[in-house]
Amino acid sequence: MTTLRSRVFRAVWFAWRSSATRDSVALFGGTVLASVLANAYELGPRLFQLGREHAEIDDIIFVAFALSIGLMIYTLRRYRDLVYEVKARTIAEREARDLARHDPLTGLPNRRLFDEKLHACLSAVSDARQVAVLMLGLDGFKRIKDTHGHVAGDKALGEFANRVTGVLRADGMLARIGEDEFGIIMSDIRSLDGPTNLASRIVAAAAEAFAIEKVSAELGVGIGIAIAPSDGVNCNELVRRAVRALCRARGDGRSCVRFFEPEMDTHVERRIQIERELRSAIAADIIEPHYQPLVSLKGERIIGFEALARWKNRTLGCIPPDVFVPIAEETGLIHALGDQLFRRACFDANAWPGTFTLAFNVSPIQLRDPTLGLRILAILGETGFSPRRLELEITESAFMDNRGVAKAVIDELRQAGVRIALDDFGTGYATLSQLLSFRLDKIKIDRSFVSHLDDSADSRVIVRAILGLAQGFGLTTTAEGVEDAAQLAYLVANGCTEGQGYLFSKAVPAADIPALLHRESGRTEAA
């Protein structure tokens, strides 16, 4: 009996804890009470008379009174629950607002809160009360993430944020703007000394090694600075100009600091124009390859040509490849441009003597694409050019950016008979063991070493060492940028096999190659 009573009590208690049950009881009680009160006036005299005759009227009055007390208690409980719910909802909304304005990894304000703070600061800006915006970009973060993983990268970001917070003054705000980009707002600065000194402290703080996964890693930080009101009083404009200063800082080297300068806008506008014209040029197939001879230093005879992109725009004039190729890489246009130039080069090379090779440069961005090998082989089949006459030139950075994909692409092409040359050897960061794992056929000596053979003992030592290394591994060598007879003599004396440069010929259009070959044959016959 006791057990049954306990079960009934627990069932009633759990049912009462349900808001639906309490609402049902309240509705029923309210209905009864309302019915009683509505008929009280009409039933009053009759009840009084019946009360004399029947004692049951006391029970009715008691029930009405009990229901009134119950409804009052229930109303108080619901009020208490409502207060609790409102309080909990307010806390939840405040936490949601905080989460929406903060970076979950570092706990720093995010771009939304950064913009809100900057808008508030700019509303009070004047010549006497300036505002500085510092945009910070990490140098070396991608290498840490690729080498040690995303967890290590997250730890590096957290540690960097802590270091910057430690050197930031109390009224400054540090926010995380992008994956490896941060922003700082300095309000009410009196001179440029404030942001300059802060930038110096940040660079020094970032220079100390980061302890990550039981190893030490290094990070640099580029900083771009814009000042309101001189550089703008609009939030977006000020941030944009600080970002442009950051781009200049990163381009100038590791851990550089640059203030915004008006000519940066002109530079960016020109870049935007070049990108727009580049898209049109690729769509119209206007960019064409020119060809610089590859010369065998034994007998100084042409054995092939390297294809070099050339672009002449009606509005902008001749745009050098070191200007438009990086833009093509940044925008992803390099894949379409590379395929287009390679196809035209293969068609042109079919008109050369059958022993001549075609050297073609592959961008590091292209080599990240696992379908590159298939596309190259497809173009070779389409044009009828033999893969054994093709020599792909790849830089050290292209090898190291994505070793797995790069090695798979290179192995696929080598199996088809394509030769692989390492371009600009000695200017990258790869080790010899890493490079040799790719089974190279040729090393190209960078022109920066060749150009100083006449006046630099260090350059002569480096070139001699590269030639000795290549001979030891059975690789052919090509010296770039050969411009005078003294350089040529040194290269020949130390065993260099091939050369290219203005001493032999500049790059020429495909239509000029027959005349170039004719002049060479005339010199050979005269000799």
Side-chain angles (χ1 to χ4, degrees):
M1 185 66 178
T2 303
T3 304
L4 178 60
R5 185 180 302 169
S6 299
R7 290 179 179 176
V8 171
F9 177 79
R10 282 198 300 270
V12 171
W13 170 247
F14 282 123
W16 177 253
R17 291 180 62 184
S18 169
S19 59
T21 302
R22 294 197 297 268
D23 291 343
S24 299
V25 171
L27 180 62
F28 175 76
T31 302
V32 172
L33 181 60
S35 177
V36 169
L37 294 177
N39 293 286
Y41 179 78
E42 179 181 351
L43 296 177
R46 294 178 60 192
L47 289 175
F48 180 73
Q49 184 178 358
L50 289 173
R52 291 180 176 181
E53 299 175 358
H54 304 283
E56 286 84 356
I57 188 64
D58 294 336
D59 296 335
I60 295 175
I61 295 174
F62 175 77
V63 170
F65 177 75
L67 286 173
S68 301
I69 296 298
L71 183 59
M72 181 177 65
I73 294 173
Y74 175 71
T75 302
L76 292 174
R77 287 176 55 86
R78 289 299 295 162
Y79 174 75
R80 185 192 65 181
D81 292 345
L82 182 61
V83 169
Y84 175 80
E85 290 175 5
V86 170
K87 184 178 179 180
R89 182 174 297 178
T90 302
I91 294 174
E93 289 175 352
R94 183 169 63 247
E95 291 176 349
R97 284 195 300 270
D98 289 342
L99 288 175
R101 287 170 169 76
H102 287 80
D103 172 50
L105 175 62
T106 62
L108 294 174
N110 62 11
R111 181 60 182 267
R112 177 183 295 182
L113 187 53
F114 179 87
D115 288 344
E116 291 176 1
K117 171 71 172 179
L118 184 55
H119 276 296
C121 291
L122 291 178
S123 63
V125 73
S126 65
D127 291 337
R129 301 184 62 183
Q130 302 179 85
V131 174
V133 172
L134 290 76
M135 299 301 293
L136 285 57
L138 296 183
D139 300 324
F141 173 72
K142 183 178 184 300
R143 185 172 63 253
I144 290 177
K145 190 173 65 173
D146 292 345
T147 304
H148 303 291
H150 289 276
V151 174
D154 292 346
K155 289 182 178 178
L157 289 174
E159 176 62 22
F160 175 79
N162 291 335
R163 293 186 187 184
V164 176
T165 302
V167 300
L168 189 64
R169 70 187 195 185
D171 61 342
M173 171 189 274
L174 172 66
R176 187 182 179 200
I177 304 299
E179 182 184 29
D180 61 348
E181 292 186 351
F182 296 79
I184 293 177
I185 301 172
M186 297 181 68
S187 59
D188 195 16
I189 63 171
R190 303 297 176 177
S191 70
L192 299 183
D193 292 340
T196 300
N197 293 336
L198 175 60
S200 299
R201 294 196 299 271
I202 292 172
V203 170
E208 300 178 13
F210 290 75
I212 300 171
E213 300 295 332
K214 300 181 180 180
V215 298
S216 62
E218 295 183 354
L219 279 175
V221 56
I223 303 177
I225 306 174
I227 306 295
S230 58
D231 295 330
V233 293
N234 175 273
C235 177
N236 293 334
E237 181 182 24
L238 199 62
V239 170
R240 176 170 54 84
R241 289 182 167 177
V243 169
R244 290 183 178 179
L246 171 60
C247 292
R248 175 65 62 85
R250 283 181 147 176
D252 289 347
R254 187 181 180 89
S255 294
C256 289
V257 179
R258 292 291 180 268
F259 281 84
F260 172 79
E261 298 172 356
E263 58 267 24
M264 292 180 184
D265 272 340
T266 303
H267 173 76
V268 172
E269 288 168 3
R270 175 174 170 80
R271 186 199 179 283
I272 293 172
Q273 185 180 12
I274 291 175
E275 179 184 339
R276 183 171 57 250
E277 294 290 338
L278 179 61
R279 292 181 183 276
S280 300
I282 293 174
D285 197 7
I286 292 174
I287 302 174
E288 61 180 15
H290 283 203
Y291 302 94
Q292 187 171 36
L294 294 169
V295 176
S296 172
L297 299 186
K298 186 178 181 179
E300 296 186 27
R301 57 186 179 83
I302 297 175
I303 58 174
F305 293 90
E306 178 183 357
L308 301 170
R310 294 293 183 265
W311 177 25
K312 186 175 183 179
N313 181 266
R314 290 180 298 178
T315 305
L316 303 173
C318 292
I319 304 173
D322 60 356
V323 172
F324 71 81
V325 169
I327 294 176
E329 291 176 335
E330 293 172 15
T331 57
L333 297 171
I334 190 65
H335 301 289
L337 176 60
D339 290 355
Q340 193 175 88
L341 288 171
F342 182 57
R343 182 177 289 103
R344 293 186 63 174
C346 288
F347 277 122
D348 291 340
N350 279 327
W352 305 341
T355 58
F356 278 23
T357 60
L358 167 65
F360 191 85
N361 291 278
V362 174
S363 161
I365 306 299
Q366 290 176 277
L367 203 57
R368 295 175 187 172
D369 183 358
T371 67
L372 175 65
L374 293 175
R375 295 206 316 275
I376 289 175
L377 295 178
I379 292 173
L380 290 173
E382 174 189 341
T383 59
F385 189 73
S386 171
R388 300 191 177 278
R389 295 176 58 193
L390 176 62
E391 192 172 88
L392 292 181
E393 298 185 359
I394 302 171
T395 62
E396 291 180 36
S397 59
F399 283 121
M400 296 301 106
D401 278 351
N402 195 332
R403 292 193 64 195
V405 173
K407 194 171 189 311
V409 170
I410 290 171
D411 288 344
E412 182 179 23
L413 293 170
R414 290 192 90 257
Q415 289 175 6
V418 177
R419 290 166 55 84
I420 305 298
L422 179 61
D423 198 11
D424 301 333
F425 181 73
T427 61
Y429 303 96
T431 65
L432 291 176
S433 61
Q434 289 173 326
L435 297 175
L436 293 174
S437 68
F438 285 91
R439 298 172 60 200
L440 303 170
D441 298 291
K442 177 189 286 189
I443 290 177
K444 297 194 73 174
I445 305 172
D446 187 68
R447 66 180 66 249
S448 63
F449 302 128
V450 176
S451 63
H452 292 290
L453 285 176
D454 298 337
D455 55 21
S456 171
D458 290 341
S459 291
R460 290 192 291 271
V461 171
I462 292 173
V463 169
R464 190 165 60 247
I466 294 173
L467 291 172
L469 177 70
Q471 291 171 3
F473 285 99
L475 305 176
T476 58
T477 49
T478 298
E480 298 179 301
V482 181
E483 297 183 355
D484 59 49
Q487 296 170 353
L488 176 61
Y490 184 87
L491 293 167
V492 172
N494 286 276
C496 186
T497 53
E498 300 173 8
Q500 67 181 115
Y502 284 173
L503 180 63
F504 309 113
S505 173
K506 65 178 183 180
V508 299
D512 293 349
I513 290 180
L516 183 64
L517 296 178
H518 180 72
R519 286 197 301 270
E520 181 192 60
S521 63
R523 288 196 305 269
T524 303
E525 291 174 2

